Amino acid sequence: MPEKDIVFLNGEFLHKNEAKISVFDRGFIFGDAIYEVAPIIDGVLVDMNEFLQRLKRNLKSICIDLPYTQDELIAFLKELISKNKLKEGGLYMQVSRGVTSRDFAFTKDIKATVMAFVYEAMIEKNPLATSGVNIIFVPELRWKRRDIKSTSLLAQCYAKEMVKKAKAYEGFFVENSYITEGISSSAFIIKNKTLISKPLSNEILLAIRRGKILRYAKEFGLKVQERAFTVKEVYEADEVFISAATLPILAVVKVEDKLINNGIVGEFSKKLRERYIKGMKEEASINKTL
């Protein structure tokens, strides 16, 4: 992740080597913070409305007040992208409860720490979209409020290390033989022209890409089922794919030692990716003029 030089921190734009946060910040001490990631296409932040809605929901869920209005925040983020002259990549934003003495209970009347940076990423012409990726299964290790996009990501880091050792690209968390989601992505399967996605709950992240993918699937004549699916169903799927902020859709062509669709990117994975990127570019074109 090649981060760009200028970061936003508490109302200032600073070089990344000069931006400092207190050792007593609760985000550092407890992971008491929320983060968000959004894609940038043609120099424009896309999925903006969904990004803001989820940010507000997550901050409210752990009682953190954002010290800026929505308009102020949007202006800061646009300026951050502009200062870094970024055309394609992602934005990472983090809001912690703030700086105070170490105490487990939520501290009141302190100002939140707000930080953001942008980074380069190949979204439209990612070579993995052509080759597909491989995944493994990993045990579900996370807490029960996975719908909150918390910075407490030790379980995900541990799982990613398992993926790295297996020389895979991503992992699917497994709980009682069912897939919850990817370590850093949403998980989907297609079987008999039916797209299957786990329904929203506190067991998975309220993924922004997920809702759009379900809508696009219907455009291509796919049925949609929102239900849990098993490890066995992943192995037997016609197509498997993942999605994340800067990975609109990547086909999974190998699961553990089993090839999916003969190791080739599937028809609908390709169509859905193309449709999603088209939508992103259309949104970027509209927002560029606002």
Side-chain angles (χ1 to χ4, degrees):
M1 182 187 291
E3 296 90 357
K4 303 296 281 184
D5 286 342
I6 305 301
V7 305
F8 172 83
L9 178 61
N10 295 333
E12 295 184 278
F13 294 95
L14 304 165
H15 190 277
K16 61 186 179 184
N17 294 334
E18 298 174 353
K20 309 296 180 184
I21 295 174
S22 170
V23 295
F24 296 107
D25 191 281
R26 286 181 62 93
F28 175 73
I29 296 288
F30 293 117
D32 183 6
I34 294 298
Y35 77 100
E36 273 296 343
V37 183
I40 296 168
I41 293 286
D42 297 331
V44 178
L45 192 68
V46 295
D47 294 335
M48 173 74 83
N49 290 334
E50 295 87 349
F51 168 89
L52 292 170
Q53 289 170 9
R54 190 170 65 179
L55 175 67
K56 291 176 184 177
R57 175 189 179 276
N58 283 308
L59 290 172
K60 183 178 180 180
S61 69
I62 62 170
C63 306
I64 293 179
D65 294 322
L66 191 66
Y68 309 111
T69 66
Q70 179 170 301
D71 287 345
E72 287 173 335
L73 179 62
I74 291 172
F76 284 140
L77 298 182
K78 286 182 176 180
E79 188 172 354
L80 177 65
I81 295 169
S82 176
K83 284 182 177 294
N84 283 290
K85 298 180 174 61
L86 182 66
K87 294 301 181 184
E88 183 173 295
L91 174 135
Y92 176 95
M93 178 178 171
Q94 180 171 310
V95 184
S96 82
R97 196 171 306 278
V99 179
T100 188
S101 297
R102 186 178 185 275
D103 183 10
F104 280 88
F106 289 169
T107 307
K108 309 297 183 185
D109 302 322
I110 58 173
K111 187 176 181 180
T113 299
V114 182
M115 179 274 292
F117 63 82
V118 295
Y119 58 93
E120 295 178 343
M122 293 182 67
I123 297 177
E124 185 175 2
K125 296 181 179 180
N126 188 335
L128 294 176
T130 302
S131 65
V133 299
N134 63 322
I135 68 163
I136 63 170
F137 296 117
V138 296
E140 181 61 86
L141 303 169
R142 301 171 298 168
W143 72 323
K144 296 299 183 182
R145 288 302 308 275
R146 302 161 198 158
D147 56 313
I148 298 175
K149 202 168 176 66
S150 163
T151 60
S152 301
L153 296 173
L154 182 57
Q156 287 90 326
C157 292
Y158 185 89
K160 280 289 189 180
E161 182 64 17
M162 296 171 65
V163 168
K164 181 179 178 181
K165 288 181 178 179
K167 296 182 180 179
Y169 180 81
E170 173 65 311
F172 281 4
F173 280 122
V174 179
E175 191 169 49
N176 299 322
S177 298
Y178 284 89
I179 306 303
T180 48
E181 59 189 334
I183 298 171
S184 57
S185 64
S186 297
F188 302 83
I189 63 172
I190 298 175
K191 183 68 176 180
N192 297 328
K193 293 189 176 180
T194 299
L195 177 65
I196 304 171
S197 170
K198 186 175 173 65
L200 297 178
S201 71
N202 66 317
E203 295 181 351
I204 64 171
L205 178 67
L206 200 163
I208 291 172
R209 264 55 49 189
R210 176 186 178 277
K212 292 187 176 183
I213 288 168
L214 297 188
R215 293 199 301 272
Y216 295 151
K218 296 176 182 178
E219 294 180 12
F220 295 113
L222 290 171
K223 297 178 182 178
V224 172
Q225 290 184 3
E226 295 186 65
R227 64 168 178 81
F229 54 90
T230 65
V231 169
K232 184 173 184 290
E233 287 182 285
V234 175
Y235 279 129
E236 296 175 350
D238 297 326
E239 298 183 42
V240 180
F241 65 85
I242 61 174
S243 71
T246 55
L247 304 171
I249 288 176
L250 287 183
V252 174
V253 296
K254 187 177 181 182
V255 177
E256 299 279 350
D257 294 324
K258 168 78 163 55
L259 292 179
I260 303 297
N261 193 41
N262 296 315
I264 301 171
V265 173
E267 172 191 358
F268 291 108
S269 298
K270 182 178 179 181
K271 286 181 176 179
L272 287 168
R273 175 181 170 80
E274 291 172 348
R275 177 64 182 87
Y276 200 106
I277 290 177
K278 178 183 177 184
M280 294 172 77
K281 291 179 75 68
E282 288 172 349
E283 182 184 344
S285 178
I286 293 169
N287 290 345
K288 189 175 287 187
T289 62
L290 297 179

